[in-house]
Amino acid sequence: MSVFGQKHLLQRWTTNVIDFFLKKELVGADKLGNQYFRWHEKNKGERREVRWQEAQFTYDPNLIPPEWRMWLKKQRKEPPTPQEILAGEMQRASMAAKVAAIEEREKLRRARQETVGAATFAAGPAPDLQQFMGTMQNEQRK
């Protein structure tokens, strides 16, 4: 066994011992293999964490499914069920298909407008998604 393999085994063993003494409870996993744990600390109450399947050097919240992210941030009491995760994935896929269809219709509309001789700027600038999202967030805060 290589030195790296021995180091990995020692690290895994140490993590398991710490988990045992903290009484960490595995509450679920996502399709990427990330595992989600919770445990209780005397003065801090319930604690939650994700153990990445692969080492992450930079945190990217997009790698965690929204249902698990909400649980980690204590925006929901119970971990998501497999049915909730599947429903969320289906909803996101449906939304992506709708967005793609709208973008295709907009592309065709602009092409038609250009072929009839209208100036390019007459079609208007492309929608600014960041400005729209900022407006929506400001409206929600009110």
Side-chain angles (χ1 to χ4, degrees):
M1 181 178 293
S2 70
V3 174
F4 179 74
Q6 290 174 346
K7 182 178 178 183
H8 180 69
L9 284 176
L10 181 62
Q11 184 179 23
R12 178 179 273 172
W13 180 83
T14 305
T15 302
N16 288 339
V17 168
I18 292 170
D19 290 352
F20 174 77
F21 283 110
L22 288 176
K23 297 181 182 174
K24 287 186 180 181
E25 171 191 5
L26 175 64
V27 294
D30 61 24
K31 67 181 181 180
L32 298 175
N34 301 324
Q35 296 178 325
Y36 300 87
F37 293 87
R38 73 172 152 202
W39 71 97
H40 295 275
E41 288 185 3
K42 191 174 185 177
N43 297 329
K44 295 183 180 179
E46 183 180 75
R47 307 282 292 185
R48 300 172 181 185
E49 78 173 13
V50 59
R51 186 167 302 149
W52 300 91
Q53 174 64 24
E54 294 184 20
Q56 298 293 321
F57 297 105
T58 57
Y59 173 73
D60 182 4
N62 296 323
L63 296 177
I64 298 177
E67 297 83 8
W68 280 113
R69 196 172 333 126
M70 289 175 62
W71 180 77
L72 286 169
K73 292 183 173 192
K74 297 185 180 181
Q75 294 174 337
R76 60 183 297 156
K77 289 184 180 182
E78 295 300 319
T81 64
Q83 294 83 7
E84 289 174 325
I85 293 171
L86 182 60
E89 288 175 357
M90 290 173 56
Q91 183 181 17
R92 288 186 291 279
S94 172
M95 184 60 70
K98 289 176 184 177
V99 167
I102 290 170
E103 287 175 345
E104 184 62 28
R105 283 197 309 262
E106 178 64 14
K107 186 177 174 183
L108 290 173
R109 183 190 70 79
R110 287 176 186 269
R112 277 194 307 269
Q113 195 166 15
E114 287 177 4
T115 57
V116 295
T120 307
F121 62 86
D128 186 355
L129 185 57
Q130 289 181 338
Q131 180 183 3
F132 173 74
M133 293 303 291
T135 304
M136 294 301 293
Q137 289 174 351
N138 289 337
E139 290 294 323
Q140 289 177 350
R141 290 181 190 146
K142 291 180 181 179

